[in-house]
């Protein structure tokens, strides 16, 4: 159930049954020599939308540009400043809260989003705390990284071990291939497994990780693995979402 394919009377009817909404979030940034620019948004959206199907939960439009300043050394990468992203998250949540949505479940595909989203949630809660009691509807926000669910991590470890890395990983590349089989592509990687390490800004990142990967070998990806990872993420998050909504309702 996708919000943008509903009419307003249908949303009004949904709100009588549930006040929860899933919001897929990602990033638009380089993912190594073979990974799609949209990898993180594609993954968040694919998992979020399937989660909406299996749990009967409405799914909001994907927030597809995230906080990815460190990737700007590579063509095609886009970023919002942390302060901009915080404002975007607040306005998205407040728009929906006005109609009665209370539980916001963000399915995330990008590590750089975690800190700004956490700050946005604190801003939203602060506004509730500072308002006169009863003047603002109670809201709850939760963010989950699809790639960190227990079942997903077990599969990544089994299939890729130390070649999983932390950026342009075979797991995330595999998931994009399961969604878009026409995206499959491989290239010679040098070194086969990319270096690991830290970074600050875009120039520092490009210096340390010349082809964009961190610690990974995306050539190990396959469509079959992507489908397994997709199903595993949805299974894990479905349990988590049910617990979150129940907690919220109680
Ligand atoms: Ni990614």
């Amino acid at each position: 159930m996708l919000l943008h394919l509903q009419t307003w009377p249908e949303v009004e009817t949904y709100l009588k049954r549930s006040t929860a909404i899933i919001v897929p979030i990602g990033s638009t940034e380089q993912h190594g020599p073979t990974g799609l620019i949209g990898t993180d948004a594609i993954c968040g959206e694919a998992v979020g939308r399937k989660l909406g199907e299996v749990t009967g939960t409405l799914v909001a439009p994907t927030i597809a540009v995230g906080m990815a300043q460190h990737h700007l050394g590579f063509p095609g990468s886009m970023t919002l400043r942390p302060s901009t992203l915080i404002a975007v998250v607040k306005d998205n949540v407040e728009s929906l809260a006005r109609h009665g949505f209370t539980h916001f479940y963000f399915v995330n595909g990008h590590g750089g989003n975690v800190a700004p989203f956490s700050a946005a949630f604190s801003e939203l809660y602060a506004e509730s705390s500072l308002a006169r009691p009863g003047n603002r509807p109670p809201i709850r926000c939760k963010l989950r990284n699809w790639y960190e669910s227990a079942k997903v991590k077990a599969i990544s470890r089994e299939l890729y071990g130390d070649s999983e890395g932390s950026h342009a990983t075979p797991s995330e590349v595999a998931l994009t291939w399961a969604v878009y089989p026409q995206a499959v592509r491989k290239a010679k990687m040098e070194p086969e497994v990319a270096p690991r390490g830290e970074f600050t800004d875009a120039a520092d990142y490009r210096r340390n990780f010349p082809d964009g990967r961190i610690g990974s070998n995306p050539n190990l990806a396959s469509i079959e693995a992507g489908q397994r990872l997709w199903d595993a993420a949805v299974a894990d998050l479905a349990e988590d979402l049910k617990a979150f909504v129940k907690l919220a309702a109680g």
Side-chain angles (χ1 to χ4, degrees), residues 110-126:
H110 174 57
N113 285 342
V114 173
F117 273 77
S118 175
F121 299 166
S122 292
E123 290 276 354
L124 287 160
Y125 298 147

Side-chain angles (χ1 to χ4, degrees), residues 126-157:
E127 294 205 10
S128 292
S129 301
L130 291 164
R132 284 176 186 277
N135 266 17
R136 279 178 62 92
I139 57 159
R140 278 171 180 270
C141 299
K142 191 166 202 175
L143 179 149
R144 284 286 181 250
N145 299 318
W146 74 267
Y147 50 87
E148 282 185 339
S149 90
K151 287 189 178 74
V152 167
K153 285 188 90 163
I155 295 170
S156 298
R157 209 174 306 120

Side-chain angles (χ1 to χ4, degrees), residues 62-118:
T62 303
I63 299 176
V65 178
M67 208 303 285
Q69 59 79 16
H70 46 292
H71 293 294
L72 287 181
F74 298 87
S77 299
M78 299 170 70
T79 194
L80 298 180
R81 288 178 166 81
S83 54
T84 311
L85 183 55
I86 291 166
V88 167
V89 177
K90 282 183 65 187
D91 286 359
N92 274 279
V93 169
E94 302 235 27
S95 301
L96 294 165
R98 187 181 191 284
H99 309 306
F101 287 94
T102 56
H103 302 96
F104 297 84
Y105 193 82
F106 294 87
V107 177
N108 183 36
H110 174 57
N113 285 342
V114 173
F117 273 77
S118 175

